[in-house]
PDB file of all heavy atoms in Angstrom:
ATOM      1  N   ALA A  25       0.797  -1.214   0.033  1.00 97.00           N
ATOM      2  CA  ALA A  25       0.016   0.052  -0.057  1.00 97.00           C
ATOM      3  C   ALA A  25       0.893   1.328  -0.020  1.00 97.00           C
ATOM      4  O   ALA A  25       0.625   2.199  -0.771  1.00 97.00           O
ATOM      5  CB  ALA A  25      -0.932  -0.044   1.233  1.00 97.00           C
ATOM      6  N   LEU A  26       1.910   1.284   0.836  1.00 97.00           N
ATOM      7  CA  LEU A  26       2.884   2.410   0.824  1.00 97.00           C
ATOM      8  C   LEU A  26       3.593   2.596  -0.519  1.00 97.00           C
ATOM      9  O   LEU A  26       3.844   3.673  -0.887  1.00 97.00           O
ATOM     10  CB  LEU A  26       3.747   2.332   2.026  1.00 97.00           C
ATOM     11  CG  LEU A  26       3.159   2.572   3.434  1.00 97.00           C
ATOM     12  CD1 LEU A  26       4.228   2.201   4.410  1.00 97.00           C
ATOM     13  CD2 LEU A  26       2.572   3.920   3.445  1.00 97.00           C
ATOM     14  N   TYR A  27       3.960   1.457  -1.117  1.00 97.00           N
ATOM     15  CA  TYR A  27       4.484   1.491  -2.435  1.00 97.00           C
ATOM     16  C   TYR A  27       3.647   2.438  -3.392  1.00 97.00           C
ATOM     17  O   TYR A  27       4.093   3.299  -4.021  1.00 97.00           O
ATOM     18  CB  TYR A  27       4.686   0.141  -3.030  1.00 97.00           C
ATOM     19  CG  TYR A  27       5.002   0.090  -4.550  1.00 97.00           C
ATOM     20  CD1 TYR A  27       6.257   0.430  -4.982  1.00 97.00           C
ATOM     21  CD2 TYR A  27       3.977  -0.158  -5.537  1.00 97.00           C
ATOM     22  CE1 TYR A  27       6.531   0.441  -6.234  1.00 97.00           C
ATOM     23  CE2 TYR A  27       4.183  -0.154  -6.817  1.00 97.00           C
ATOM     24  CZ  TYR A  27       5.563   0.139  -7.253  1.00 97.00           C
ATOM     25  OH  TYR A  27       5.739   0.174  -8.603  1.00 97.00           O
ATOM     26  N   TRP A  28       2.286   2.123  -3.416  1.00 98.00           N
ATOM     27  CA  TRP A  28       1.356   2.638  -4.315  1.00 98.00           C
ATOM     28  C   TRP A  28       1.206   4.139  -3.873  1.00 98.00           C
ATOM     29  O   TRP A  28       1.072   5.063  -4.800  1.00 98.00           O
ATOM     30  CB  TRP A  28       0.035   2.034  -4.337  1.00 98.00           C
ATOM     31  CG  TRP A  28       0.193   0.766  -5.203  1.00 98.00           C
ATOM     32  CD1 TRP A  28       0.150  -0.513  -4.739  1.00 98.00           C
ATOM     33  CD2 TRP A  28       0.453   0.595  -6.620  1.00 98.00           C
ATOM     34  NE1 TRP A  28       0.326  -1.469  -5.747  1.00 98.00           N
ATOM     35  CE2 TRP A  28       0.490  -0.715  -6.879  1.00 98.00           C
ATOM     36  CE3 TRP A  28       0.489   1.596  -7.665  1.00 98.00           C
ATOM     37  CZ2 TRP A  28       0.798  -1.214  -8.175  1.00 98.00           C
ATOM     38  CZ3 TRP A  28       0.801   1.103  -8.945  1.00 98.00           C
ATOM     39  CH2 TRP A  28       0.897  -0.286  -9.190  1.00 98.00           C
ATOM     40  N   VAL A  29       1.130   4.457  -2.578  1.00 97.00           N
ATOM     41  CA  VAL A  29       0.957   5.833  -2.138  1.00 97.00           C
ATOM     42  C   VAL A  29       2.078   6.642  -2.511  1.00 97.00           C
ATOM     43  O   VAL A  29       1.991   7.770  -3.036  1.00 97.00           O
ATOM     44  CB  VAL A  29       0.772   5.872  -0.571  1.00 97.00           C
ATOM     45  CG1 VAL A  29       0.969   7.358   0.062  1.00 97.00           C
ATOM     46  CG2 VAL A  29      -0.527   5.310  -0.117  1.00 97.00           C
ATOM     47  N   PHE A  30       3.351   6.212  -2.344  1.00 98.00           N
ATOM     48  CA  PHE A  30       4.530   6.939  -2.674  1.00 98.00           C
ATOM     49  C   PHE A  30       4.723   6.967  -4.245  1.00 98.00           C
ATOM     50  O   PHE A  30       5.092   8.051  -4.685  1.00 98.00           O
ATOM     51  CB  PHE A  30       5.770   6.349  -2.116  1.00 98.00           C
ATOM     52  CG  PHE A  30       5.856   6.438  -0.540  1.00 98.00           C
ATOM     53  CD1 PHE A  30       6.127   5.415   0.278  1.00 98.00           C
ATOM     54  CD2 PHE A  30       5.600   7.722   0.001  1.00 98.00           C
ATOM     55  CE1 PHE A  30       6.082   5.663   1.573  1.00 98.00           C
ATOM     56  CE2 PHE A  30       5.706   7.914   1.436  1.00 98.00           C
ATOM     57  CZ  PHE A  30       5.928   6.859   2.174  1.00 98.00           C
ATOM     58  N   LEU A  31       4.349   6.072  -4.952  1.00 97.00           N
ATOM     59  CA  LEU A  31       4.272   6.097  -6.377  1.00 97.00           C
ATOM     60  C   LEU A  31       3.358   7.240  -6.940  1.00 97.00           C
ATOM     61  O   LEU A  31       3.725   7.913  -7.742  1.00 97.00           O
ATOM     62  CB  LEU A  31       4.110   4.698  -7.061  1.00 97.00           C
ATOM     63  CG  LEU A  31       4.183   4.620  -8.521  1.00 97.00           C
ATOM     64  CD1 LEU A  31       5.676   4.884  -8.909  1.00 97.00           C
ATOM     65  CD2 LEU A  31       3.790   3.150  -8.992  1.00 97.00           C
ATOM     66  N   ALA A  32       2.207   7.189  -6.325  1.00 97.00           N
ATOM     67  CA  ALA A  32       1.124   8.175  -6.705  1.00 97.00           C
ATOM     68  C   ALA A  32       1.645   9.540  -6.399  1.00 97.00           C
ATOM     69  O   ALA A  32       1.478  10.446  -7.170  1.00 97.00           O
ATOM     70  CB  ALA A  32      -0.199   7.880  -6.008  1.00 97.00           C
ATOM     71  N   GLY A  33       2.246   9.761  -5.302  1.00 97.00           N
ATOM     72  CA  GLY A  33       2.798  10.985  -4.848  1.00 97.00           C
ATOM     73  C   GLY A  33       3.964  11.417  -5.821  1.00 97.00           C
ATOM     74  O   GLY A  33       4.014  12.745  -6.072  1.00 97.00           O
ATOM     75  N   THR A  34       4.708  10.544  -6.317  1.00 97.00           N
ATOM     76  CA  THR A  34       5.772  10.913  -7.329  1.00 97.00           C
ATOM     77  C   THR A  34       5.150  11.430  -8.493  1.00 97.00           C
ATOM     78  O   THR A  34       5.589  12.407  -9.127  1.00 97.00           O
ATOM     79  CB  THR A  34       6.556   9.655  -7.629  1.00 97.00           C
ATOM     80  OG1 THR A  34       7.208   9.086  -6.435  1.00 97.00           O
ATOM     81  CG2 THR A  34       7.755   9.971  -8.570  1.00 97.00           C
ATOM     82  N   VAL A  35       4.079  10.769  -8.994  1.00 97.00           N
ATOM     83  CA  VAL A  35       3.360  11.178 -10.269  1.00 97.00           C
ATOM     84  C   VAL A  35       2.586  12.398 -10.042  1.00 97.00           C
ATOM     85  O   VAL A  35       2.596  13.281 -10.972  1.00 97.00           O
ATOM     86  CB  VAL A  35       2.546   9.933 -10.717  1.00 97.00           C
ATOM     87  CG1 VAL A  35       1.670  10.462 -11.909  1.00 97.00           C
ATOM     88  CG2 VAL A  35       3.423   8.875 -11.107  1.00 97.00           C
ATOM     89  N   LEU A  36       1.915  12.560  -8.973  1.00 97.00           N
ATOM     90  CA  LEU A  36       1.027  13.653  -8.766  1.00 97.00           C
ATOM     91  C   LEU A  36       1.665  14.932  -8.257  1.00 97.00           C
ATOM     92  O   LEU A  36       1.054  16.072  -8.538  1.00 97.00           O
ATOM     93  CB  LEU A  36      -0.158  13.239  -7.812  1.00 97.00           C
ATOM     94  CG  LEU A  36      -1.026  12.140  -8.201  1.00 97.00           C
ATOM     95  CD1 LEU A  36      -2.068  11.791  -7.191  1.00 97.00           C
ATOM     96  CD2 LEU A  36      -1.890  12.640  -9.394  1.00 97.00           C
ATOM     97  N   THR A  37       2.772  14.928  -7.670  1.00 95.00           N
ATOM     98  CA  THR A  37       3.455  16.137  -7.147  1.00 95.00           C
ATOM     99  C   THR A  37       3.696  17.253  -8.233  1.00 95.00           C
ATOM    100  O   THR A  37       3.309  18.361  -7.956  1.00 95.00           O
ATOM    101  CB  THR A  37       4.670  15.810  -6.393  1.00 95.00           C
ATOM    102  OG1 THR A  37       4.213  14.991  -5.190  1.00 95.00           O
ATOM    103  CG2 THR A  37       5.338  17.038  -5.887  1.00 95.00           C
ATOM    104  N   PRO A  38       4.316  16.903  -9.424  1.00 96.00           N
ATOM    105  CA  PRO A  38       4.572  17.846 -10.279  1.00 96.00           C
ATOM    106  C   PRO A  38       3.289  18.671 -10.776  1.00 96.00           C
ATOM    107  O   PRO A  38       3.243  19.937 -10.890  1.00 96.00           O
ATOM    108  CB  PRO A  38       5.339  17.210 -11.395  1.00 96.00           C
ATOM    109  CG  PRO A  38       5.926  16.172 -10.784  1.00 96.00           C
ATOM    110  CD  PRO A  38       5.043  15.649  -9.693  1.00 96.00           C
ATOM    111  N   PRO A  39       2.123  17.872 -11.203  1.00 96.00           N
ATOM    112  CA  PRO A  39       0.971  18.607 -11.644  1.00 96.00           C
ATOM    113  C   PRO A  39       0.356  19.424 -10.572  1.00 96.00           C
ATOM    114  O   PRO A  39      -0.091  20.492 -10.770  1.00 96.00           O
ATOM    115  CB  PRO A  39       0.034  17.483 -12.131  1.00 96.00           C
ATOM    116  CG  PRO A  39       0.665  16.251 -11.965  1.00 96.00           C
ATOM    117  CD  PRO A  39       2.042  16.451 -11.397  1.00 96.00           C
ATOM    118  N   VAL A  40       0.441  19.063  -9.326  1.00 93.00           N
ATOM    119  CA  VAL A  40      -0.126  19.791  -8.179  1.00 93.00           C
ATOM    120  C   VAL A  40       0.772  21.111  -8.027  1.00 93.00           C
ATOM    121  O   VAL A  40       0.099  22.200  -7.883  1.00 93.00           O
ATOM    122  CB  VAL A  40      -0.047  19.036  -6.836  1.00 93.00           C
ATOM    123  CG1 VAL A  40      -0.406  19.851  -5.645  1.00 93.00           C
ATOM    124  CG2 VAL A  40      -1.177  17.955  -7.011  1.00 93.00           C
ATOM    125  N   VAL A  41       2.046  21.001  -8.116  1.00 91.00           N
ATOM    126  CA  VAL A  41       2.905  22.237  -8.051  1.00 91.00           C
ATOM    127  C   VAL A  41       2.456  23.144  -9.198  1.00 91.00           C
ATOM    128  O   VAL A  41       2.470  24.327  -9.078  1.00 91.00           O
ATOM    129  CB  VAL A  41       4.358  21.820  -7.926  1.00 91.00           C
ATOM    130  CG1 VAL A  41       5.251  23.049  -8.094  1.00 91.00           C
ATOM    131  CG2 VAL A  41       4.671  21.097  -6.630  1.00 91.00           C
ATOM    132  N   CYS A  42       2.344  22.578 -10.388  1.00 92.00           N
ATOM    133  CA  CYS A  42       1.891  23.492 -11.579  1.00 92.00           C
ATOM    134  C   CYS A  42       0.564  24.189 -11.193  1.00 92.00           C
ATOM    135  O   CYS A  42       0.368  25.406 -11.496  1.00 92.00           O
ATOM    136  CB  CYS A  42       1.854  22.632 -12.831  1.00 92.00           C
ATOM    137  SG  CYS A  42       3.425  22.125 -13.484  1.00 92.00           S
ATOM    138  N   LEU A  43      -0.355  23.406 -10.572  1.00 90.00           N
ATOM    139  CA  LEU A  43      -1.625  24.029 -10.356  1.00 90.00           C
ATOM    140  C   LEU A  43      -1.508  25.234  -9.298  1.00 90.00           C
ATOM    141  O   LEU A  43      -2.093  26.189  -9.388  1.00 90.00           O
ATOM    142  CB  LEU A  43      -2.684  23.023  -9.798  1.00 90.00           C
ATOM    143  CG  LEU A  43      -3.380  22.113 -10.847  1.00 90.00           C
ATOM    144  CD1 LEU A  43      -4.077  20.994 -10.138  1.00 90.00           C
ATOM    145  CD2 LEU A  43      -4.136  22.940 -11.732  1.00 90.00           C
ATOM    146  N   ILE A  44      -0.557  24.926  -8.318  1.00 86.00           N
ATOM    147  CA  ILE A  44      -0.291  25.974  -7.290  1.00 86.00           C
ATOM    148  C   ILE A  44       0.276  27.209  -7.994  1.00 86.00           C
ATOM    149  O   ILE A  44      -0.214  28.281  -7.746  1.00 86.00           O
ATOM    150  CB  ILE A  44       0.672  25.382  -6.240  1.00 86.00           C
ATOM    151  CG1 ILE A  44       0.022  24.287  -5.404  1.00 86.00           C
ATOM    152  CG2 ILE A  44       1.205  26.558  -5.353  1.00 86.00           C
ATOM    153  CD1 ILE A  44       0.797  23.513  -4.441  1.00 86.00           C
ATOM    154  N   ALA A  45       1.215  27.058  -8.950  1.00 86.00           N
ATOM    155  CA  ALA A  45       1.786  28.178  -9.534  1.00 86.00           C
ATOM    156  C   ALA A  45       0.773  28.918 -10.423  1.00 86.00           C
ATOM    157  O   ALA A  45       0.801  30.054 -10.510  1.00 86.00           O
ATOM    158  CB  ALA A  45       3.062  27.640 -10.517  1.00 86.00           C
ATOM    159  N   LEU A  46      -0.096  28.271 -10.936  1.00 86.00           N
ATOM    160  CA  LEU A  46      -1.209  28.828 -11.871  1.00 86.00           C
ATOM    161  C   LEU A  46      -2.217  29.483 -11.097  1.00 86.00           C
ATOM    162  O   LEU A  46      -3.029  30.356 -11.590  1.00 86.00           O
ATOM    163  CB  LEU A  46      -1.851  27.852 -12.746  1.00 86.00           C
ATOM    164  CG  LEU A  46      -0.918  27.234 -13.932  1.00 86.00           C
ATOM    165  CD1 LEU A  46      -1.621  26.085 -14.637  1.00 86.00           C
ATOM    166  CD2 LEU A  46      -0.444  28.375 -14.793  1.00 86.00           C
ATOM    167  N   ASN A  47      -2.452  29.177  -9.811  1.00 84.00           N
ATOM    168  CA  ASN A  47      -3.444  29.711  -8.882  1.00 84.00           C
ATOM    169  C   ASN A  47      -2.772  30.413  -7.696  1.00 84.00           C
ATOM    170  O   ASN A  47      -3.379  30.160  -6.513  1.00 84.00           O
ATOM    171  CB  ASN A  47      -4.375  28.533  -8.462  1.00 84.00           C
ATOM    172  CG  ASN A  47      -5.120  28.086  -9.620  1.00 84.00           C
ATOM    173  OD1 ASN A  47      -5.950  28.706 -10.152  1.00 84.00           O
ATOM    174  ND2 ASN A  47      -4.789  26.854  -9.933  1.00 84.00           N
ATOM    175  N   LEU A  48      -1.685  31.060  -7.752  1.00 79.00           N
ATOM    176  CA  LEU A  48      -0.984  31.721  -6.639  1.00 79.00           C
ATOM    177  C   LEU A  48      -1.862  32.626  -5.879  1.00 79.00           C
ATOM    178  O   LEU A  48      -1.767  32.735  -4.723  1.00 79.00           O
ATOM    179  CB  LEU A  48       0.319  32.315  -7.167  1.00 79.00           C
ATOM    180  CG  LEU A  48       1.462  31.449  -7.325  1.00 79.00           C
ATOM    181  CD1 LEU A  48       2.683  32.200  -7.947  1.00 79.00           C
ATOM    182  CD2 LEU A  48       1.882  30.771  -6.044  1.00 79.00           C
ATOM    183  N   ASP A  49      -2.615  33.332  -6.600  1.00 76.00           N
ATOM    184  CA  ASP A  49      -3.506  34.419  -5.863  1.00 76.00           C
ATOM    185  C   ASP A  49      -4.356  33.751  -4.950  1.00 76.00           C
ATOM    186  O   ASP A  49      -4.533  34.125  -3.792  1.00 76.00           O
ATOM    187  CB  ASP A  49      -4.237  35.318  -6.926  1.00 76.00           C
ATOM    188  CG  ASP A  49      -5.066  34.354  -7.932  1.00 76.00           C
ATOM    189  OD1 ASP A  49      -4.781  33.254  -8.026  1.00 76.00           O
ATOM    190  OD2 ASP A  49      -5.811  35.041  -8.728  1.00 76.00           O
ATOM    191  N   TRP A  50      -5.064  32.613  -5.286  1.00 77.00           N
ATOM    192  CA  TRP A  50      -5.926  31.828  -4.307  1.00 77.00           C
ATOM    193  C   TRP A  50      -5.049  31.219  -3.167  1.00 77.00           C
ATOM    194  O   TRP A  50      -5.498  31.237  -2.150  1.00 77.00           O
ATOM    195  CB  TRP A  50      -6.641  30.677  -5.106  1.00 77.00           C
ATOM    196  CG  TRP A  50      -7.527  29.970  -4.261  1.00 77.00           C
ATOM    197  CD1 TRP A  50      -8.821  30.401  -3.940  1.00 77.00           C
ATOM    198  CD2 TRP A  50      -7.318  28.743  -3.609  1.00 77.00           C
ATOM    199  NE1 TRP A  50      -9.379  29.315  -3.065  1.00 77.00           N
ATOM    200  CE2 TRP A  50      -8.419  28.331  -2.875  1.00 77.00           C
ATOM    201  CE3 TRP A  50      -6.159  27.927  -3.531  1.00 77.00           C
ATOM    202  CZ2 TRP A  50      -8.377  27.231  -1.995  1.00 77.00           C
ATOM    203  CZ3 TRP A  50      -6.195  26.719  -2.691  1.00 77.00           C
ATOM    204  CH2 TRP A  50      -7.391  26.362  -1.891  1.00 77.00           C
ATOM    205  N   VAL A  51      -3.905  30.606  -3.529  1.00 76.00           N
ATOM    206  CA  VAL A  51      -3.032  30.004  -2.576  1.00 76.00           C
ATOM    207  C   VAL A  51      -2.665  31.062  -1.409  1.00 76.00           C
ATOM    208  O   VAL A  51      -2.704  30.752  -0.222  1.00 76.00           O
ATOM    209  CB  VAL A  51      -1.924  29.323  -3.173  1.00 76.00           C
ATOM    210  CG1 VAL A  51      -0.874  28.787  -2.157  1.00 76.00           C
ATOM    211  CG2 VAL A  51      -2.343  28.207  -4.107  1.00 76.00           C
ATOM    212  N   VAL A  52      -2.184  32.187  -1.922  1.00 71.00           N
ATOM    213  CA  VAL A  52      -1.718  33.218  -1.035  1.00 71.00           C
ATOM    214  C   VAL A  52      -2.905  33.768  -0.294  1.00 71.00           C
ATOM    215  O   VAL A  52      -2.802  33.959   1.013  1.00 71.00           O
ATOM    216  CB  VAL A  52      -0.970  34.359  -1.743  1.00 71.00           C
ATOM    217  CG1 VAL A  52      -0.809  35.550  -0.935  1.00 71.00           C
ATOM    218  CG2 VAL A  52       0.293  33.831  -2.437  1.00 71.00           C
ATOM    219  N   ALA A  53      -4.112  33.885  -0.819  1.00 71.00           N
ATOM    220  CA  ALA A  53      -5.212  34.454  -0.052  1.00 71.00           C
ATOM    221  C   ALA A  53      -5.599  33.355   1.025  1.00 71.00           C
ATOM    222  O   ALA A  53      -6.099  33.841   2.067  1.00 71.00           O
ATOM    223  CB  ALA A  53      -6.430  34.629  -0.926  1.00 71.00           C
ATOM    224  N   ASN A  54      -5.352  32.046   0.856  1.00 70.00           N
ATOM    225  CA  ASN A  54      -5.830  31.132   1.789  1.00 70.00           C
ATOM    226  C   ASN A  54      -4.604  30.591   2.594  1.00 70.00           C
ATOM    227  O   ASN A  54      -4.799  29.735   3.519  1.00 70.00           O
ATOM    228  CB  ASN A  54      -6.465  29.890   1.065  1.00 70.00           C
ATOM    229  CG  ASN A  54      -7.779  30.254   0.490  1.00 70.00           C
ATOM    230  OD1 ASN A  54      -8.706  30.501   1.306  1.00 70.00           O
ATOM    231  ND2 ASN A  54      -7.829  30.438  -0.842  1.00 70.00           N
ATOM    232  N   ALA A  55      -3.348  31.168   2.581  1.00 64.00           N
ATOM    233  CA  ALA A  55      -2.196  30.653   3.288  1.00 64.00           C
ATOM    234  C   ALA A  55      -2.391  30.953   4.746  1.00 64.00           C
ATOM    235  O   ALA A  55      -1.896  30.107   5.513  1.00 64.00           O
ATOM    236  CB  ALA A  55      -1.021  31.441   2.737  1.00 64.00           C
ATOM    237  N   GLY A  56      -3.091  31.944   5.167  1.00 56.00           N
ATOM    238  CA  GLY A  56      -3.166  32.167   6.594  1.00 56.00           C
ATOM    239  C   GLY A  56      -4.207  31.115   7.269  1.00 56.00           C
ATOM    240  O   GLY A  56      -4.374  31.109   8.497  1.00 56.00           O
ATOM    241  N   HIS A  57      -4.844  30.380   6.505  1.00 50.00           N
ATOM    242  CA  HIS A  57      -5.900  29.360   7.030  1.00 50.00           C
ATOM    243  C   HIS A  57      -5.119  27.968   7.169  1.00 50.00           C
ATOM    244  O   HIS A  57      -5.799  26.882   7.067  1.00 50.00           O
ATOM    245  CB  HIS A  57      -7.027  29.305   6.180  1.00 50.00           C
ATOM    246  CG  HIS A  57      -7.760  30.570   6.005  1.00 50.00           C
ATOM    247  ND1 HIS A  57      -8.416  31.168   6.997  1.00 50.00           N
ATOM    248  CD2 HIS A  57      -7.825  31.396   4.963  1.00 50.00           C
ATOM    249  CE1 HIS A  57      -8.852  32.364   6.616  1.00 50.00           C
ATOM    250  NE2 HIS A  57      -8.534  32.484   5.342  1.00 50.00           N
TER     251      HIS A  57
END
């Protein structure tokens, strides 16, 4: 199970970071929460 979790994390981390970069205004607005 941990193998699959870490493998999914490896694959999903770059697109999530791209989404964060494309939505920085929302991320910064919610950073205090």
Side-chain angles (χ1 to χ4, degrees):
L26 287 172
Y27 165 80
W28 288 108
V29 167
F30 291 129
L31 188 61
T34 303
V35 172
L36 294 176
T37 297
V40 167
V41 170
C42 288
L43 283 173
I44 290 169
L46 293 174
N47 296 289
L48 278 174
D49 47 354
W50 181 86
V51 171
V52 171
N54 290 290
H57 304 291

